[in-house]
Amino acid sequence: MKMTDTVTLAAPLTLPSGQVLPNRIMKAALSEGLGDAGAGPDDRLERLYSRWAAGSYGLVVTGNVMVDRRYLGEPGNVVVEDDRHLDALTRWAKTTQDGGSPIWMQINHPGRQANPLTTEGRVVAPSAVRLAIPGVPTPRALADAEIKEIISRFATTAAVAEAAGFDGVQIHGAHGYLLSQFLSPLANRREDRWGGSIENRARFALEVVRAVRAAVRPGFGVGIKLNSADFQRGGFSEDESRTVIALLASEQLDLIEISGGSYESPAMMGRPVQSASTREREAYFLEYAVTVRELAAGIPLAVTGGFRSQTAMAAAIADGACDLVGIGRPTVTTPTAALDVMTGDLDRLTSQQQRLPVPSRLSGTATARSLEGALDLQWHTDQLHRMAGGEDPDPARPLWRTAVTTVRRNGIGALRSTRNVKSRDARAVRKFRFERNVGRYLANPAVAALNRLGIGTHLATDLETVGRKTGLARRVPVSAAFDSDGAWVISQHGTRSGWGINITANPTVRIRHGRHWRTGTAQFVPDDDVVARARTFATSPLFAGLTSATIRALQSDPISVRITFTD
């Protein structure tokens, strides 16, 4: 479709299937985490989407809907494997349609990005290659028959979406999820027909598109979200992405949405360094989109990420750089964003970026950046949940309130989808998530800061392990009890802790004893009495109970670790 400079944001767009979008502004997918206890939609999603229904979007795309309830991207995902939730899905679809906006269901399989706390069994992927994120388990490589079964699941989910009245589906092939994993040479190291050349690595995505299109009527919308690149050395490149778009051009697609990055390298959040031209045009991936217009062979392109001003949006459409402008985070605080931009009520959308109130010398630390990113994401989730609860967005919401709701959500609500986990294990999971964050973002930085100031603590010292991916030294404060041959340490979260995973891969460690560092070999001792062991960490028998209670309060599945000195 060739664009001219007469095309405006308010102009309709006719898709190859014949479906007509009323204008050129798309509400991009935002994961809601609002599925009920049975992984179905309920009235909270209806309330949320009724707010977007008043926004006059040309297209509304839902957040992640999973094709397999065994593998969720995050707690609270809606799952569509069959028609058990058909009535609720129908009500969900109707919310935006009543406002005049078509709605597409984003369908997805997380692969190795499945949340391990909500997964039945081991996570799966094209190859047994783990994410470069601490604490994430190594996946199991999918068998050929399993790959075919997943393709069939995508088709089934699309057919149910059509039966429920959705106007289309968007296949998620970006951001490091399963389709993206097959495309990436870092994640896909298969030597069969699903791996190797880019044509083989693209086979899974092509087969999913074909199966979905075959399962729905010709006028039902089918789109795909695709990375321009992974933004990782040795990963899925822009040249490979162009090859995939050329392959997709011969399929019966209605829309290709361009994004980029993964949760290892989150380009979709604007994290890579941006060029001056990108900053001027605002959209992170617009320059790439221009280079694939001809390759797409008439399939409309949407670009999401970075658009904020009416001027930049209008220029992107008028110049023919893309056919749809996707906006995500701004719709969290301005649910009527499309209407406000097209009527001129707003010249520029705002997107809140949360910052930790810490001194500048600390703001650049890895701990501060990690906490800041997590809270920023949760702050936006809070806004979605406010609208789902019938409240208005709160742009002035303080970050400390988000910290409170994050703990509450992680400890109770966010794990409602772990209905197949034994109650005792579910409590351990909730405790693990909460106490790990307390240790990572409060206790550990506090101890480290005291040590830098030369202030020692009775219950903490430093343990140095070898990073299993980087080979670099990684230090973390731990509690320890020393003797002449070594030391006892408690891994508060067992083999799931970051340093626990490190010593599983390489048991050689260093531990600070007073002012000296000792080298040793670490070994898990699961039969040791952790409660009794914790009491030995006290500096006096009078404080044994208090010491044990303090350590116990910050653990989930503790395991004793014996470090035997080797120096």
Side-chain angles (χ1 to χ4, degrees):
M1 179 182 297
K2 185 175 181 179
M3 307 294 297
T4 70
D5 57 7
T6 61
V7 178
T8 67
L9 291 172
L13 173 64
T14 301
L15 303 179
S17 65
Q19 187 172 146
V20 178
L21 306 184
N23 62 66
R24 303 305 180 98
I25 301 181
M26 175 181 75
K27 197 289 291 180
L30 295 166
S31 191
E32 311 93 358
L34 288 168
D36 63 20
D42 61 17
D43 55 357
R44 294 174 301 163
L45 278 169
E46 294 172 41
R47 282 194 293 269
L48 171 60
Y49 278 76
S50 68
R51 298 297 298 269
W52 285 322
S56 297
Y57 295 93
L59 177 63
V60 171
V61 183
T62 75
N64 277 330
V65 171
M66 296 296 158
V67 302
D68 190 334
R69 66 184 57 247
R70 296 172 298 176
Y71 307 105
L72 305 183
E74 52 270 326
N77 283 149
V78 171
V79 179
V80 176
E81 296 176 311
D82 48 42
D83 62 0
R84 75 183 73 179
H85 301 304
L86 190 60
D87 289 344
L89 290 168
T90 300
R91 291 192 297 272
W92 186 12
K94 195 171 182 295
T95 54
T96 65
Q97 292 165 343
D98 284 348
S101 296
I103 182 170
W104 287 14
M105 178 189 291
Q106 185 183 75
I107 58 179
N108 192 11
H109 190 299
R112 67 178 185 173
Q113 286 186 175
N115 189 311
L117 303 181
T118 60
T119 295
E120 294 181 22
R122 194 171 171 187
V123 299
V124 297
S127 304
V129 179
R130 192 181 62 80
L131 278 169
I133 296 176
V136 176
T138 300
R140 172 179 62 81
L142 288 161
D144 186 83
E146 292 177 302
I147 295 173
K148 295 176 182 176
E149 193 260 346
I150 293 173
I151 293 170
S152 177
R153 283 181 175 273
F154 274 94
T156 297
T157 302
V160 174
E162 181 184 22
F166 283 84
D167 299 290
V169 293
Q170 182 189 69
I171 301 162
H172 202 333
H175 300 174
Y177 291 108
L178 186 60
L179 265 76
S180 184
Q181 292 162 33
F182 269 93
L183 292 171
S184 170
L186 292 178
N188 183 354
R189 301 180 186 176
R190 302 178 71 96
E191 297 180 352
D192 59 6
R193 65 188 182 126
W194 305 103
S197 68
I198 182 56
E199 290 76 14
N200 277 359
R201 283 183 275 126
R203 189 186 307 276
F204 180 69
L206 291 169
E207 291 296 332
V208 168
V209 169
R210 291 165 185 163
V212 166
R213 176 47 79 191
V216 298
R217 59 182 170 80
F220 188 74
V222 177
I224 189 169
K225 188 168 190 170
L226 187 70
N227 273 358
S228 61
D230 287 345
F231 296 92
Q232 291 177 275
R233 188 182 300 275
F236 184 61
S237 67
E238 286 195 359
D239 286 342
E240 289 183 327
S241 181
R242 293 186 184 96
T243 298
V244 174
I245 286 181
L247 293 170
L248 289 169
S250 60
E251 305 301 326
Q252 299 177 49
L253 280 170
D254 287 292
L255 186 66
I256 299 174
E257 180 185 354
I258 303 298
S259 189
S262 68
Y263 290 100
E264 293 176 292
S265 179
M268 61 282 195
M269 297 170 67
R271 294 295 296 276
V273 176
Q274 299 174 15
S275 65
S277 59
T278 297
R279 286 193 295 271
E280 182 179 352
R281 302 181 76 176
E282 295 184 356
Y284 306 143
F285 312 110
L286 196 61
E287 292 179 356
Y288 166 84
V290 172
T291 70
V292 298
R293 294 292 285 167
E294 295 300 323
L295 293 174
I299 299 175
L301 297 180
V303 174
T304 300
F307 279 116
R308 296 295 180 266
S309 71
Q310 190 275 346
T311 300
M313 296 180 204
I317 298 298
D319 294 345
C322 62
D323 302 291
L324 274 178
V325 167
I327 51 178
R329 289 190 171 199
T331 70
V332 166
T333 50
T334 309
T336 57
L339 179 64
D340 294 342
V341 166
M342 288 188 294
T343 59
D345 287 348
L346 280 179
D347 292 329
R348 186 174 188 84
L349 299 173
T350 59
S351 178
Q352 302 280 350
Q353 190 168 19
Q354 301 304 306
R355 299 290 187 186
L356 283 176
V358 297
S360 58
R361 66 180 182 278
L362 298 178
S363 62
T365 65
T367 297
R369 289 197 306 269
S370 178
L371 178 57
E372 189 171 79
L375 287 176
D376 183 74
L377 178 63
Q378 292 297 328
W379 187 92
H380 286 83
T381 300
D382 279 353
Q383 305 297 337
L384 294 181
H385 286 214
R386 283 180 62 85
M387 288 191 284
E391 300 178 285
D392 288 330
D394 180 13
R397 184 177 179 82
L399 202 55
W400 70 265
R401 286 191 179 275
T402 288
V404 171
T405 56
T406 298
V407 170
R408 185 167 65 240
R409 187 180 300 125
N410 288 347
I412 302 174
L415 292 174
R416 69 170 55 88
S417 294
T418 58
R419 54 200 173 282
N420 295 317
V421 180
K422 295 179 181 179
S423 60
R424 181 187 62 186
D425 294 335
R427 286 194 299 270
V429 165
R430 291 194 294 267
K431 190 176 180 65
F432 165 66
R433 294 184 66 161
F434 172 56
E435 310 306 352
R436 179 188 59 182
N437 288 336
V438 171
R440 179 181 296 172
Y441 301 127
L442 180 60
N444 292 356
V447 171
L450 290 173
N451 287 337
R452 285 196 298 269
L453 294 173
I455 302 173
T457 59
H458 292 297
L459 289 179
T461 186
D462 288 317
L463 177 70
E464 184 178 278
T465 62
V466 178
R468 55 205 173 281
K469 280 286 188 179
T470 65
L472 301 176
R474 292 288 182 263
R475 290 184 184 178
V476 60
V478 296
S479 299
F482 291 90
D483 54 47
S484 59
D485 298 320
W488 285 96
V489 178
I490 294 176
S491 179
Q492 296 169 330
H493 309 301
T495 57
R496 294 182 298 183
S497 69
W499 66 266
I501 296 171
N502 282 353
I503 66 171
T504 299
N506 185 343
T508 300
V509 301
R510 291 204 313 153
I511 188 168
R512 183 174 54 80
H513 188 192
R515 295 186 177 182
H516 303 285
W517 284 90
R518 302 294 303 272
T519 302
T521 300
Q523 180 180 6
F524 286 109
V525 187
D527 294 332
D528 190 56
D529 186 339
V530 178
V531 175
R533 182 64 59 191
R535 295 177 67 89
T536 68
F537 288 20
T539 55
S540 167
L542 294 175
F543 299 112
L546 177 61
T547 300
S548 179
T550 300
I551 295 174
R552 186 167 61 250
L554 296 175
Q555 64 192 21
S556 55
D557 296 317
I559 298 178
S560 296
V561 176
R562 177 61 182 175
I563 298 174
T564 303
F565 293 148
T566 58
D567 55 6

